[in-house]
Amino acid sequence: MKALFLLAATLAAGAQAREPESLAAVVDEMAVFERVLGAALESETSVSTGYRSRLEAIQDQTGINLRPWLQQSVRSIEAEYLAWQGILVSLQLRREPSVNDLPNALFTTMARTGETRLPMILASLESGDFAGLKRLVDELDETRKRQDELRGDWHRELRNASDSGSARQEPSEPIMQEMRAVAARERELDAAIDAEIKRLRDIVEPRQEPSTDDVHAALVQAVCDYAMLKSLPDDEHLTLKVSQETARLPRRGLEWTYYVLAKQDVVQCRQGSIDAEELRQRAFVYSRVRAHD
């Protein structure tokens, strides 16, 4: 991740501007802190390597897009230096996908194959829960196969008619009637499959995932463990700006939470004089929310 620096004020000395002291050293520290903070959060919020490998295998075998479940939970980290104020670290976290985000094709593929290595978000389902969906999917496969056979019969009739000099362009009435019946049954099965998939989504038990408070606690713990701040002036601060999607509004929105930590408090936590919970209690914390349009 690329460390950025931003001077919040222009410091004039006569006719010339000057940089804060030790600016280069602060920027170097920010680059290191970005990397270790991102790694610490990923270890707290990401899925296990084994689970990721299973998802990748399912995606490769089926061609179903499971990228939302494979992406890192930390979308971005940027560190900036604000003169006379301190370091601002902005983190944007991804929203955890839900069962409603899973494509229908994953459910039908699992029913067809009898896949038991279910994605973590569906771990509360058993293979037997897919029995009804499997019956519907198998019948749909047979129905589509029969539709293909009827189309083949139609084309053969047309070729035979052409060979005999007939100008007939439509299939015979028996084929036409069966094609209509098969098409109607296919529509019925599609609707029944959609209803069965909805039933499966509804019975999935919500997965235990890190709460917002857990993620923020892990973030402050990472600050306590890894923030050196040797080059930061003693009277300045480390501010964490955490951006997350939230559903606490009538409609989904974006929430920013700010933790303003005094350098001396961070140093005490680093040295073991206080723990991460005490560091968090000493912080100035405030939030703002913006609803999506």
Side-chain angles (χ1 to χ4, degrees):
M1 298 178 182
K2 182 179 180 181
L4 305 177
F5 66 90
L6 175 67
L7 298 184
T10 301
L11 309 178
Q16 294 184 345
R18 60 188 176 87
E19 289 185 349
E21 295 181 4
S22 305
L23 177 60
V26 171
V27 171
D28 289 342
E29 278 192 6
M30 289 192 301
V32 174
F33 187 51
E34 280 182 355
R35 292 195 295 271
V36 297
L37 187 59
L41 280 179
E42 282 300 327
S43 67
E44 177 69 23
T45 60
S46 292
V47 299
S48 68
T49 301
Y51 172 66
R52 181 179 296 273
S53 297
R54 290 198 298 274
L55 276 187
E56 289 173 344
I58 292 172
Q59 180 173 258
D60 292 342
Q61 291 167 6
T62 64
I64 297 171
N65 179 19
L66 297 177
R67 287 180 59 192
W69 288 267
L70 295 170
Q71 291 176 325
Q72 294 182 335
S73 58
V74 180
R75 186 188 296 271
S76 65
I77 299 180
E78 290 183 350
E80 308 168 73
Y81 178 65
L82 309 176
W84 297 338
Q85 299 175 54
I87 295 173
L88 170 65
V89 181
S90 301
L91 303 98
Q92 187 174 9
L93 305 181
R94 296 184 189 277
R95 179 179 68 86
E96 177 75 16
S98 73
V99 65
N100 292 322
D101 297 313
L102 287 170
N104 281 7
L106 179 62
F107 288 85
T108 55
T109 297
M110 294 169 70
R112 284 188 176 96
T113 62
E115 174 64 64
T116 57
R117 298 174 303 168
L118 305 179
M120 181 163 43
I121 205 165
L122 294 181
S124 61
L125 296 180
E126 302 290 341
S127 296
D129 294 327
F130 289 84
L133 181 59
K134 178 172 173 53
R135 287 193 295 271
L136 292 170
V137 168
D138 286 346
E139 184 177 352
L140 180 62
D141 290 343
E142 290 298 319
T143 300
R144 288 174 173 170
K145 180 180 177 181
R146 180 56 185 159
Q147 189 73 281
D148 290 340
E149 292 173 349
L150 290 169
R151 290 194 184 98
D153 293 343
W154 175 17
H155 289 306
R156 279 190 293 273
E157 280 194 356
L158 292 180
R159 285 197 301 271
N160 292 337
S162 177
D163 291 342
S164 64
S166 172
R168 190 177 69 186
Q169 298 296 320
E170 295 295 329
S172 62
E173 186 60 25
I175 291 180
M176 179 69 77
Q177 289 181 353
E178 187 172 359
M179 288 180 69
R180 289 171 180 162
V182 169
R185 182 54 182 162
E186 185 174 345
R187 290 191 296 270
E188 292 172 358
L189 289 169
D190 282 333
I193 286 172
D194 288 343
E196 181 62 14
I197 291 174
K198 182 180 184 304
R199 184 189 72 83
L200 291 174
R201 292 185 198 274
D202 290 343
I203 66 173
V204 170
E205 296 177 6
R207 184 172 70 86
Q208 292 295 322
E209 58 190 61
S211 67
T212 297
D213 189 69
D214 290 338
V215 173
H216 289 195
L219 176 60
V220 176
Q221 182 65 60
V223 169
C224 188
D225 292 339
Y226 302 110
M228 301 297 292
L229 306 185
K230 289 182 178 180
S231 303
L232 187 69
D234 289 342
D235 60 346
E236 295 186 352
H237 297 78
L238 171 64
T239 300
L240 307 174
K241 175 186 176 184
V242 188
S243 171
Q244 292 175 281
E245 286 194 21
T246 177
R248 292 187 298 173
L249 300 171
R251 60 182 187 276
R252 190 175 295 278
L254 194 63
E255 180 175 22
W256 292 271
T257 302
Y258 297 80
Y259 290 85
V260 184
L261 307 166
K263 174 186 173 177
Q264 295 304 318
D265 291 338
V266 175
V267 170
Q268 286 186 35
C269 194
R270 174 75 175 165
Q271 294 174 343
S273 300
I274 61 174
D275 60 16
E277 181 58 30
E278 176 65 21
L279 175 62
R280 190 177 178 186
Q281 291 176 3
R282 292 187 183 186
F284 289 99
V285 183
Y286 58 97
S287 300
R288 65 188 181 95
V289 179
R290 184 183 69 189
H292 288 332
D293 295 333

